């Protein structure tokens, strides 16, 4: 009956040809529209999604990209304690969850928090 799938809601930095966030606070609308489509189609077929906002792999940005963007962070785990890393991550998550889907006009946070019993 119920299907739950984890999907990426990130790709950080300019090394990713379709990064969602090429630079802190700058977003790729084409990539966001792709994520809009994924969320829209999943909701149509009853699949629940868990969005992943960051990872460990440098190839997709991840913690290391946030550290690179910071002038005070030095190693990947500084992602968790550096105030700049934490702030740009919070801003990123806020932007994603407040996004209004271009396919159905529904904010991500509404789609992601809808529960079926």
């Amino acid at each position: 009956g119920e299907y739950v799938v984890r999907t990426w809601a990130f790709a950080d930095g300019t090394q990713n040809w379709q990064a969602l966030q090429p630079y802190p606070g700058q977003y790729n609308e084409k990539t966001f529209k792709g994520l809009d489509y994924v969320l829209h189609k999943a909701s149509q077929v009853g699949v629940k999604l868990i969005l992943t906002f960051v990872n460990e792999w440098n190839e997709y940005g991840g913690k290391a990209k946030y550290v690179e963007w910071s002038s005070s962070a030095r190693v990947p785990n500084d992602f968790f304690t550096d105030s700049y890393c934490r702030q740009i991550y919070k801003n990123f998550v806020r932007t994603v969850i407040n996004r209004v889907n271009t396919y159905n006009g529904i904010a991500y946070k509404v789609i992601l928090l809808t529960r079926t019993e």
Side-chain angles (χ1 to χ4, degrees), residues 40-81:
H40 174 64
K41 292 306 280 186
S43 69
Q44 283 185 327
V45 297
V47 172
K48 298 293 181 187
L49 295 175
I50 298 170
L51 296 184
T52 305
F53 297 119
V54 73
N55 72 1
E56 296 277 340
W57 299 306
N58 297 342
E59 294 80 11
Y60 303 100
K63 295 183 327 185
K65 182 54 68 177
Y66 283 83
V67 168
E68 181 182 314
W69 286 334
S70 174
S71 62
S72 55
R74 299 289 175 253
V75 296
N77 279 343
D78 285 348
F79 169 83
F80 298 107
T81 57

Side-chain angles (χ1 to χ4, degrees), residues 76-93:
N77 279 343
D78 285 348
F79 169 83
F80 298 107
T81 57
D82 180 75
S83 61
Y84 183 74
C85 291
R86 291 168 53 106
Q87 189 58 55
I88 59 176
Y89 176 73
K90 287 177 186 180
N91 293 346
F92 172 71
V93 171

